[in-house]
Amino acid sequence: MPRMYAAESALDHRTADPAPSGAPAAAPAETRTEAATRDLRRVPIHPDHWYPLAWSREVKAGQAHGVQFAGDPIVLVRTATGKIFALEDRCAHRQVPLHAGVVDGESIRCCYHGWTYDCSGRCIDVPYLGKERLPNGVRAYPCEERAGLIFVFPGNPALAGQQPLPEFASVADKHYKTRRFGREVKCHYSFMHENLMDMNHQFLHRRQMGMMRARSLGRRRGADFVEVDYTFSREGGKQPMGEALVFSKEGGEGNKDVMTVRTGYPYQTLKIRSGSGTLVMDLWIAYVPLDAAQRTNRTFGMLSIRRPGIPFALDLAWPLLVWFTERIFKEDRWIVEREQEAHDRQGEDWNHEVFPVIRDLRDLLRECGGRTVIPIQRLETQV
Amino acid sequence: MPRMYAAESALDHRTADPAPSGAPAAAPAETRTEAATRDLRRVPIHPDHWYPLAWSREVKAGQAHGVQFAGDPIVLVRTATGKIFALEDRCAHRQVPLHAGVVDGESIRCCYHGWTYDCSGRCIDVPYLGKERLPNGVRAYPCEERAGLIFVFPGNPALAGQQPLPEFASVADKHYKTRRFGREVKCHYSFMHENLMDMNHQFLHRRQMGMMRARSLGRRRGADFVEVDYTFSREGGKQPMGEALVFSKEGGEGNKDVMTVRTGYPYQTLKIRSGSGTLVMDLWIAYVPLDAAQRTNRTFGMLSIRRPGIPFALDLAWPLLVWFTERIFKEDRWIVEREQEAHDRQGEDWNHEVFPVIRDLRDLLRECGGRTVIPIQRLETQV
Amino acid sequence: MPRMYAAESALDHRTADPAPSGAPAAAPAETRTEAATRDLRRVPIHPDHWYPLAWSREVKAGQAHGVQFAGDPIVLVRTATGKIFALEDRCAHRQVPLHAGVVDGESIRCCYHGWTYDCSGRCIDVPYLGKERLPNGVRAYPCEERAGLIFVFPGNPALAGQQPLPEFASVADKHYKTRRFGREVKCHYSFMHENLMDMNHQFLHRRQMGMMRARSLGRRRGADFVEVDYTFSREGGKQPMGEALVFSKEGGEGNKDVMTVRTGYPYQTLKIRSGSGTLVMDLWIAYVPLDAAQRTNRTFGMLSIRRPGIPFALDLAWPLLVWFTERIFKEDRWIVEREQEAHDRQGEDWNHEVFPVIRDLRDLLRECGGRTVIPIQRLETQV
C-alpha cells in the first residue's frame, strides 16, 4: 500500500516527531503549504453519500420537519399516505422555511402566501396567479427510509443510484436488541471518527471502565475504508456491569474478544466478536454536519447487542446498558468539543498524531472528503 | 409611468420568471451587477426624514432616555420645564452614554466626570477646568414632539425644516379611538413594508381570520409613494370578532369596504373606507432601524378605529381588538424574522416577486433609501 | 521632561482642543497615521512582567487549575508536595486542556490518552509508546507564589530573573488588615488605569461619597511610572462611614490626608498618608488581560488598611468597608465597560483627554505596552 501521507509533526514546530511504535520508518513529508490547504478540520464531508437526517418517528404523517445538512436547510415531508419526500426548506418566493407550511394531500403549501410544491419541488399553485404562469419551484433531494432512519442524498442526484444505502443486518435480526441514540456534538465530524477509532483513549473512561489497556492487532486500509482490530486487557479496577453485558465473561488476560473499528466512508462501525467468532456487539454510527462551518454534527447511532441464552436477560439489563453508554458518550462528547475549541483558538491543526491507525484514518478523511475548504472566520490584524 | 425596475428573477437562477397576472409584458431587465449593488436588504433607510424614536411617556420630566437610530446612540432629554432636546448619546470626553447622566436645569451632566452640555450640545461646564477653556461639545439633533411621539431628524439638520412631520388627523379626532403599539422586530425595515402591502399573505393569518381572499383593485406610484387598493371576500371560516370590529357588517361578497395600503416614504399607512366613504380604520406605522446593520427595527404604530353609533361599544370591545391585533402582529413578526434569517444565510436577495405592487414597492424603497450599502459580515474562504 | 505626546484632539474632528489648566501651551501634534497605529485600546499588555494569574487558595494540592493570559491558556499545577508549576494548558497530542488531567506525583497526565508531562513541560510518558520514542512536550512558564498570589511570567523566560516580583510590605505588616478582592471586568486594561488615576471622577461616586472635590498637587513621570498626588475637600453631603474608616477625622478643608496614585508598569497602587506621614491605606492592584483581544481583564487587588489605636475596631468595621468598596468598585466597573462599548462601536479611540496626568498615563501605557497591535474584528463594507 504505497501511499502519501503527512508526517503530521511537520505541521507543528512545537513538537518533535519520533516515529511511533509500528509507524513506517520514513513517511514522505508533506510540505507546509500543502498541509495548510488540507487542514483536516476544514475538509467538508463529501455530499455524494446517503446521510441520515432524521429518525422516522420524528416525521409524522401529514407533517413537515425541518433539518439541516452542512448549512443547507432541508424539509422532510410525510404525506397523509405515509410517503416521504425531501425539498430545499425555502419557498421560492420569499425564502421562508417550507417546514412551517401545511401538508396538503401529496404537496406542501407555504405558510406565508400559500405557494404550493409537489414531491419533485415543482410549484403547482400560487393562489393569486393563473396556473399557466406558475414560477419555478425548488430543489428536491433523493430520499429513502431504512431501519427507522430517513436518508437523504444531498449531493449530485444523478449519483444517488450508484451509492448503496447502509445495511443494517443486526437491527433486523431477532437475536439482537438495538438501541437508537444520538445527540448534537459541537465539533467537526473528523474528531468523532478519530475518537472512536483510537482505543488508547480508554484512559478517558477510567471512571466508567477501570484501567483497560487496548492492544492493536493490526490495521487494514482500502480506498474508502480504514479498520483496526483490538484486544483488551484489564490493568486495574473491577469490570463494570455495563461492560460485562458486552464483553465475554472470561475476562482478564484470557479474554479473546476482538473489537474491530472501521470507518467505511462516511460511516463508522464497531463490532465485537467473541473467541468463537460470534458477533456480540454491532454499532453503526454516522456524524452529520449541521452548520455550514461543519462545527456541529448530529450523531445517529444504532447499537445492537446479541441476546444471551437466557430469555429477557438483556431486556432486564437494558436500562443499565443505556446508563453506561450514556456516561461513556458524555465523556467522549466533552473531549471532542474541547478538541474543537483548541482548533478554533489555534486557527490550524496542531494535532501531533503518533498512532499509525489514526494517521491512516486522517488521511482517508482528507482523501474522501469534499474538495473545497470550509471557510472560517478570522480576526483581522488591522494596523 | 416609464420606470426602470428589475425583473427580479434575473437575480435568481434557481427560479424562472413567468410574468405574473397583470404584470407588464416585458419589464426592462436589470443587470446582475447593478442588482447586486442594490440588494434591497442592504439599502440603509434615508436619514433625511423625521423618525419617531420614543413614545412621549418614555421620557419623563427631569430625565434622560437613551435610544438608537441605525447604530447611532441618541439621548432624549426632558428638562424639568418639560422641554425636549436630543443629543449624541456620548460624552465628548470619554464617550460614555450621556443618558446615564443627571438632568441639571436645562442641561445634562455626564455621570463620570461631570462634563455638562446644553440643548445645543455645547459643553458649558467641566468642573475641574476654567470656563474659558471649555472643550467642544457634541452634536444636537432637531427634535419635535407630536401625538405622543418624539420625532428626531437624524440626517442633515439644514433639511429638517423642509421635511414635514406626519399628520395624525384621526388621532386627534374624537370620533376615533387610537391604540399605540409597537415592538422590536429583528429584520430589515423593507420586510415590514412588503409584509403589510402584500395582502395575499392573509394565508399566514388563516387561524385568526379564516380564509380571506384579497383582490387588488389597482395601484398608484409617485416619486415617494406606492399605494394599492384591495377588497376582500371570505372563502371559508367564520368572521372573527376582532375583525368584525373593523370591517363592515355586510360581509361576504357584498362587502364594499376598500382597504388602501400606502408607503409614503418612510412611513406606511393602511386605511379602510366603508362603501359610503367613511374612514373606519386608520393605521399609521413607522419602522425605525436600531442597529448599524439595520437588522432590527422598532415599530411605532398608531391604530385609530372609528367609534360606532352606540356609545362605549368600541371601548367595551377594545380588549378583544387588542388581543386580535397582537395575534396578527405576532405572526407577521415571526415570518419577517424568518425572511431575514434566510437572507442572512443566502448572503444576497433571492426574493422572487411576482406581484406588481410589491415590485413597485421594492423599487421605491431602493430609490428613496440611502445611497450607501449596509456593510455585512461575511465568512472568509481562507485557503 | 520634554516628551512627545499626542494632542489627542487631533484624533477627533468632533471636538476642539483648548489647552486644559496646567497643560503645556503647545503639545507637539501626533499625525493621524501615527495615532491610528497606536490606538491605546489596541496596545497589548507587555508580556515581560510577572502577572498574578490566580489566588493561591484557588489551586489546591494535587490539583490543576486552568487560567488565561491574553488568550493563552495556562495550567497551574500544585503537586501533592505543594510545589507549583505552570505549563501551556494543552496536550501536545490532541490539544485538549491539561487542566482536566490527573496530577500524578510531580507530573500531570492528560485525561484523554494519558500523555504525561513534568514541571518543565517535558513529555515523560505515553502509555502506548516506548520510552525511547517520546514526543516533545509543551512550554513551561516561570512561576512564583507570593502573598497569596500565583505569579507567572508569560513573556521571554530568559528575562524573568531581571524583573522583580512586586513587594507587599503592608500585607505582611501586622499593623494593617488586608482585603483581597477582584473580579472580571469587560474592558481593555488601560481603562482601569485611567479610571483609578483620574480622581476627578468622584462625581461618579456621588451617591456613595457625597460631593468631593479632588485637587491635584502635582505629578511625576519616569520611564516606567506616572504618579500624582491629590488632596480632597468636601463640597456637599455627609462623610459616609466607609470613607471615614480610611480618611482622617479632621475632615473638610483642614484635611491634610494626601492620596498618591501611581502606575508603575504594569501594576497600580493607591496610597493615602495622613498629615503626620503615616500610611493609612495601601492598595496594590493588577489588571490581567484574559482574552486575545484583551477586552476582558481579571482584577487582583490587595487593599491594606492601617489598624487604628483601638483594638478590633477595624475588624468590627470591616463588613462596612467591604460593602463600601464593593459599591464603589461596581460603579467603576460599570463605567469602564461603557467606555469599552463606545470604543467597540466607534472603532477607534475618540477619547478627548484634557487632564495632563491622564495624558501622561496614556503615553506611558503606549510606550511600555507590547509592540504589536491587537487585532479586532471589523464589519466589511461589501459592494
Side-chain angles (χ1 to χ4, degrees):
Chain A
M1 204 187 335
R3 311 193 45 268
M4 295 288 290
Y5 70 86
E8 271 117 358
S9 62
L11 305 187
D12 186 357
H13 57 282
R14 289 158 201 81
T15 48
D17 185 34
S21 2
E30 191 174 28
T31 68
R32 172 106 197 151
T33 309
E34 188 187 346
T37 59
R38 299 303 290 163
D39 175 348
L40 176 56
R41 315 315 178 187
R42 297 179 64 187
V43 173
I45 212 163
H46 204 293
D48 290 338
H49 295 272
W50 289 96
Y51 290 95
L53 298 192
W55 300 103
S56 294
R57 61 177 160 67
E58 292 180 286
V59 191
K60 301 201 180 358
Q63 294 190 2
H65 182 65
V67 293
Q68 299 269 332
F69 176 83
D72 291 337
I74 295 175
V75 59
L76 304 176
V77 180
R78 194 186 297 274
T79 67
T81 61
K83 190 187 160 191
I84 281 270
F85 62 90
L87 306 178
E88 276 185 276
D89 192 11
R90 63 169 188 100
C91 179
H93 178 210
R94 298 192 66 89
Q95 316 302 322
V96 295
L98 288 179
H99 77 250
V102 177
V103 178
D104 187 1
E106 299 297 304
S107 63
I108 183 159
R109 187 173 285 272
C110 176
C111 70
Y112 200 176
H113 301 84
W115 292 29
T116 307
Y117 304 87
D118 69 10
C119 68
S120 71
R122 197 163 54 95
C123 181
I124 58 170
D125 187 39
V126 173
Y128 49 98
L129 275 189
K131 295 280 184 199
E132 71 290 358
R133 300 171 169 282
L134 292 174
N136 276 5
V138 295
R139 176 177 174 184
Y141 294 90
C143 183
E144 298 284 344
E145 206 162 2
R146 179 172 290 188
L149 284 170
I150 300 174
F151 284 86
V152 166
F153 195 89
N156 179 356
L159 304 177
Q162 302 163 27
Q163 283 284 8
L165 280 158
E167 298 295 332
F168 294 98
S170 301
V171 174
D173 184 337
K174 69 181 169 45
H175 294 102
Y176 294 84
K177 185 173 169 73
T178 297
R179 174 163 190 241
R180 293 174 167 81
F181 67 96
R183 203 138 314 165
E184 286 189 23
V185 185
K186 296 201 177 309
C187 72
H188 189 258
Y189 61 89
S190 60
F191 290 112
M192 305 297 283
H193 281 269
E194 294 178 66
N195 170 267
L196 188 65
M197 192 165 279
D198 188 347
M199 281 291 147
N200 297 308
H201 89 270
Q202 292 298 319
F203 187 68
L204 179 66
H205 304 306
R206 63 199 176 276
R207 282 177 296 256
Q208 315 309 324
M209 298 187 140
M211 297 301 283
M212 292 282 281
R213 166 63 59 96
R215 187 170 305 155
S216 161
L217 302 180
R219 68 192 204 269
R220 293 169 293 282
R221 165 78 207 263
D224 62 354
F225 77 91
V226 168
E227 64 182 17
V228 56
D229 299 325
Y230 290 103
T231 54
F232 291 85
S233 56
R234 180 160 298 282
E235 299 207 313
K238 229 176 56 171
Q239 187 183 37
M241 287 290 285
E243 185 192 311
L245 294 171
V246 175
F247 283 95
S248 306
K249 293 297 180 297
E250 309 102 81
E253 293 301 320
N255 190 329
K256 293 285 182 290
D257 285 350
V258 173
M259 175 190 286
T260 302
V261 187
R262 174 187 175 103
T263 291
Y265 195 87
Y267 316 117
Q268 203 165 33
T269 56
L270 185 157
K271 292 174 197 282
I272 300 175
R273 284 190 173 78
S274 69
S276 59
T278 307
L279 182 62
V280 293
M281 179 176 136
D282 186 5
L283 170 69
W284 178 94
I285 199 158
Y287 316 108
V288 181
L290 298 181
D291 55 324
Q294 308 203 11
R295 260 52 190 153
T296 299
N297 69 80
R298 187 173 178 196
T299 297
F300 291 89
M302 308 271 247
L303 175 63
S304 302
I305 308 283
R306 187 170 179 91
R307 293 175 182 280
I310 308 150
F312 307 113
L314 187 59
D315 303 278
L316 284 168
W318 202 247
L320 183 61
L321 183 119
V322 168
W323 178 85
F324 179 72
T325 53
E326 283 299 307
R327 293 281 296 258
I328 298 289
F329 193 72
K330 190 177 171 188
E331 289 176 338
D332 284 330
R333 184 171 42 167
W334 184 85
I335 199 75
V336 291
E337 292 186 347
R338 296 299 77 71
E339 290 194 272
Q340 181 65 60
E341 276 181 4
H343 184 275
D344 291 345
R345 188 177 56 247
Q346 294 166 354
E348 54 187 356
D349 190 1
W350 291 10
N351 182 273
H352 176 62
E353 194 48 65
V354 297
F355 189 42
V357 176
I358 301 303
R359 291 185 174 213
D360 275 1
L361 172 62
R362 290 165 58 87
D363 202 26
L364 177 83
L365 293 173
R366 273 195 206 90
E367 289 173 20
C368 293
R371 304 327 294 168
T372 56
V373 175
I374 295 173
I376 56 168
Q377 217 154 358
R378 272 289 178 82
L379 288 174
E380 298 161 62
T381 305
Q382 292 185 335
V383 288
Chain B
M1 200 186 336
R3 312 191 46 266
M4 294 290 291
Y5 68 85
E8 270 118 0
S9 61
L11 305 187
D12 186 356
H13 57 282
R14 288 161 200 79
T15 48
D17 184 35
S21 0
E30 191 174 30
T31 67
R32 173 106 196 152
T33 309
E34 189 186 344
T37 59
R38 298 303 288 163
D39 175 348
L40 176 55
R41 315 315 177 186
R42 297 179 62 187
V43 173
I45 213 162
H46 204 294
D48 289 339
H49 295 273
W50 289 96
Y51 290 94
L53 298 193
W55 300 103
S56 293
R57 61 177 160 67
E58 292 179 287
V59 191
K60 301 198 178 3
Q63 293 190 2
H65 182 65
V67 294
Q68 298 271 331
F69 177 82
D72 291 338
I74 294 175
V75 59
L76 304 175
V77 179
R78 196 187 296 274
T79 67
T81 63
K83 191 188 159 191
I84 281 269
F85 63 89
L87 307 178
E88 278 183 275
D89 192 10
R90 61 171 189 99
C91 179
H93 179 210
R94 297 192 66 91
Q95 316 303 323
V96 295
L98 288 178
H99 78 250
V102 177
V103 179
D104 186 1
E106 299 298 302
S107 63
I108 183 159
R109 187 173 285 273
C110 176
C111 71
Y112 200 176
H113 302 83
W115 292 31
T116 307
Y117 304 87
D118 69 12
C119 68
S120 71
R122 198 163 54 95
C123 182
I124 58 171
D125 187 39
V126 172
Y128 49 97
L129 276 188
K131 294 281 185 198
E132 71 290 358
R133 301 171 169 281
L134 292 173
N136 275 6
V138 295
R139 176 178 174 184
Y141 294 90
C143 182
E144 297 285 344
E145 205 161 3
R146 180 172 291 188
L149 283 170
I150 299 173
F151 284 86
V152 166
F153 195 89
N156 179 356
L159 304 178
Q162 301 164 26
Q163 284 285 8
L165 279 158
E167 298 295 333
F168 294 99
S170 302
V171 174
D173 184 336
K174 69 180 169 44
H175 293 102
Y176 294 83
K177 184 173 171 74
T178 295
R179 173 163 192 240
R180 292 174 168 83
F181 66 96
R183 204 138 313 166
E184 286 189 22
V185 186
K186 296 201 177 309
C187 72
H188 189 256
Y189 62 89
S190 59
F191 290 112
M192 305 296 282
H193 281 270
E194 295 178 67
N195 170 268
L196 188 64
M197 192 165 279
D198 188 348
M199 280 292 147
N200 296 308
H201 91 270
Q202 292 298 321
F203 186 68
L204 179 67
H205 305 305
R206 63 199 176 275
R207 281 177 295 257
Q208 316 307 324
M209 298 188 140
M211 297 301 283
M212 293 282 280
R213 165 65 56 99
R215 188 170 305 156
S216 161
L217 301 180
R219 66 192 208 271
R220 293 169 293 281
R221 165 78 208 264
D224 62 354
F225 77 91
V226 168
E227 65 183 18
V228 57
D229 299 326
Y230 291 103
T231 54
F232 290 86
S233 57
R234 177 159 301 281
E235 299 207 314
K238 231 178 52 172
Q239 187 183 38
M241 289 289 286
E243 185 192 312
L245 295 170
V246 175
F247 283 95
S248 305
K249 292 299 180 297
E250 307 104 83
E253 293 301 319
N255 190 328
K256 292 286 181 293
D257 286 351
V258 173
M259 175 190 285
T260 302
V261 186
R262 175 187 174 101
T263 291
Y265 196 88
Y267 317 118
Q268 202 165 33
T269 57
L270 184 156
K271 291 173 197 282
I272 300 175
R273 284 189 173 78
S274 69
S276 59
T278 308
L279 182 62
V280 294
M281 180 176 136
D282 187 3
L283 170 68
W284 179 94
I285 199 160
Y287 315 108
V288 182
L290 299 180
D291 55 324
Q294 308 203 11
R295 260 52 188 153
T296 299
N297 68 82
R298 187 174 177 195
T299 297
F300 291 88
M302 308 272 248
L303 175 64
S304 301
I305 307 283
R306 188 171 179 90
R307 292 175 181 281
I310 309 149
F312 306 114
L314 187 58
D315 302 278
L316 285 168
W318 202 246
L320 183 61
L321 183 120
V322 169
W323 178 85
F324 178 72
T325 52
E326 284 298 306
R327 294 280 297 257
I328 298 289
F329 194 72
K330 190 177 171 189
E331 289 176 338
D332 284 330
R333 185 172 39 170
W334 184 84
I335 199 77
V336 292
E337 292 185 346
R338 297 299 77 70
E339 290 194 272
Q340 182 64 60
E341 276 181 3
H343 184 276
D344 291 345
R345 188 177 54 245
Q346 294 166 356
E348 55 188 353
D349 191 359
W350 291 9
N351 184 273
H352 177 61
E353 195 48 63
V354 297
F355 189 41
V357 176
I358 301 304
R359 290 184 173 213
D360 276 1
L361 172 62
R362 291 165 59 86
D363 203 26
L364 177 85
L365 294 173
R366 272 195 206 91
E367 290 174 20
C368 294
R371 304 329 294 169
T372 56
V373 175
I374 295 172
I376 55 168
Q377 217 154 359
R378 273 288 178 83
L379 288 174
E380 298 162 60
T381 304
Q382 293 185 334
V383 288
Chain C
M1 203 189 331
R3 311 192 45 266
M4 294 289 291
Y5 69 85
E8 270 118 358
S9 63
L11 306 186
D12 185 357
H13 57 282
R14 287 159 202 82
T15 50
D17 186 35
S21 4
E30 191 173 28
T31 66
R32 173 104 197 153
T33 309
E34 189 185 346
T37 58
R38 298 305 288 165
D39 175 349
L40 177 56
R41 315 315 177 187
R42 298 179 63 186
V43 173
I45 212 161
H46 204 295
D48 289 339
H49 295 273
W50 289 96
Y51 290 95
L53 298 192
W55 299 104
S56 294
R57 59 175 161 70
E58 293 179 286
V59 191
K60 302 200 179 357
Q63 292 190 4
H65 182 64
V67 294
Q68 298 271 330
F69 177 82
D72 290 337
I74 295 174
V75 58
L76 304 176
V77 179
R78 195 185 299 273
T79 67
T81 62
K83 190 187 160 191
I84 281 270
F85 62 88
L87 307 179
E88 276 184 276
D89 192 11
R90 62 170 188 99
C91 179
H93 177 210
R94 298 193 66 90
Q95 316 302 322
V96 295
L98 288 178
H99 77 251
V102 177
V103 178
D104 186 1
E106 299 298 302
S107 62
I108 183 158
R109 186 173 287 271
C110 176
C111 71
Y112 200 176
H113 301 84
W115 292 30
T116 307
Y117 303 88
D118 69 13
C119 68
S120 70
R122 198 163 54 95
C123 181
I124 57 171
D125 186 39
V126 173
Y128 49 97
L129 276 188
K131 294 281 184 199
E132 72 289 359
R133 299 170 169 283
L134 291 174
N136 275 5
V138 295
R139 176 176 173 185
Y141 294 90
C143 182
E144 297 285 344
E145 206 162 1
R146 179 173 291 188
L149 283 170
I150 299 173
F151 284 86
V152 166
F153 195 89
N156 179 355
L159 304 176
Q162 302 164 27
Q163 283 286 7
L165 278 159
E167 297 296 331
F168 295 98
S170 302
V171 174
D173 185 336
K174 69 182 169 43
H175 294 101
Y176 295 83
K177 183 172 170 72
T178 297
R179 174 164 189 239
R180 292 173 169 83
F181 67 96
R183 202 137 315 166
E184 285 188 24
V185 185
K186 296 201 176 310
C187 72
H188 189 256
Y189 61 89
S190 60
F191 290 112
M192 306 296 283
H193 280 270
E194 294 178 65
N195 170 269
L196 188 64
M197 192 165 277
D198 188 347
M199 280 291 148
N200 297 308
H201 90 270
Q202 292 299 318
F203 187 68
L204 178 68
H205 305 305
R206 62 198 177 276
R207 281 179 296 257
Q208 316 308 326
M209 297 189 139
M211 297 301 284
M212 292 283 281
R213 166 63 57 96
R215 187 170 304 155
S216 161
L217 301 180
R219 66 192 206 270
R220 294 169 292 282
R221 165 78 208 263
D224 62 354
F225 76 91
V226 168
E227 64 183 16
V228 56
D229 299 326
Y230 291 102
T231 55
F232 290 85
S233 57
R234 177 159 301 280
E235 300 208 312
K238 231 177 53 173
Q239 187 184 38
M241 288 290 284
E243 185 191 312
L245 294 171
V246 175
F247 282 96
S248 305
K249 292 301 180 297
E250 306 104 85
E253 292 302 318
N255 189 329
K256 293 285 183 292
D257 285 349
V258 172
M259 174 190 287
T260 302
V261 187
R262 174 188 174 102
T263 291
Y265 196 89
Y267 317 117
Q268 203 164 33
T269 57
L270 185 156
K271 292 173 196 283
I272 300 176
R273 285 190 172 76
S274 69
S276 60
T278 309
L279 181 62
V280 293
M281 179 175 135
D282 188 3
L283 170 69
W284 179 93
I285 197 160
Y287 316 109
V288 182
L290 299 181
D291 55 324
Q294 308 203 10
R295 260 54 188 152
T296 299
N297 68 81
R298 188 175 177 194
T299 297
F300 291 87
M302 308 272 248
L303 175 64
S304 301
I305 308 284
R306 188 169 179 91
R307 293 175 181 281
I310 309 150
F312 306 114
L314 186 59
D315 303 277
L316 284 167
W318 202 248
L320 183 61
L321 183 121
V322 169
W323 177 85
F324 178 72
T325 52
E326 283 298 306
R327 293 280 298 256
I328 298 289
F329 194 70
K330 190 178 170 186
E331 289 176 338
D332 284 330
R333 184 172 40 168
W334 183 85
I335 200 75
V336 293
E337 293 186 348
R338 296 299 77 70
E339 291 194 272
Q340 182 64 60
E341 275 181 4
H343 184 275
D344 291 344
R345 188 178 53 247
Q346 294 165 355
E348 55 188 356
D349 192 359
W350 290 10
N351 183 273
H352 177 62
E353 195 49 64
V354 298
F355 189 43
V357 176
I358 302 304
R359 291 186 174 212
D360 276 1
L361 172 62
R362 291 165 58 85
D363 203 27
L364 177 84
L365 294 173
R366 271 195 207 90
E367 290 174 20
C368 294
R371 305 327 293 168
T372 56
V373 175
I374 295 173
I376 56 169
Q377 216 154 0
R378 272 288 178 83
L379 288 175
E380 298 162 60
T381 304
Q382 293 185 335
V383 288

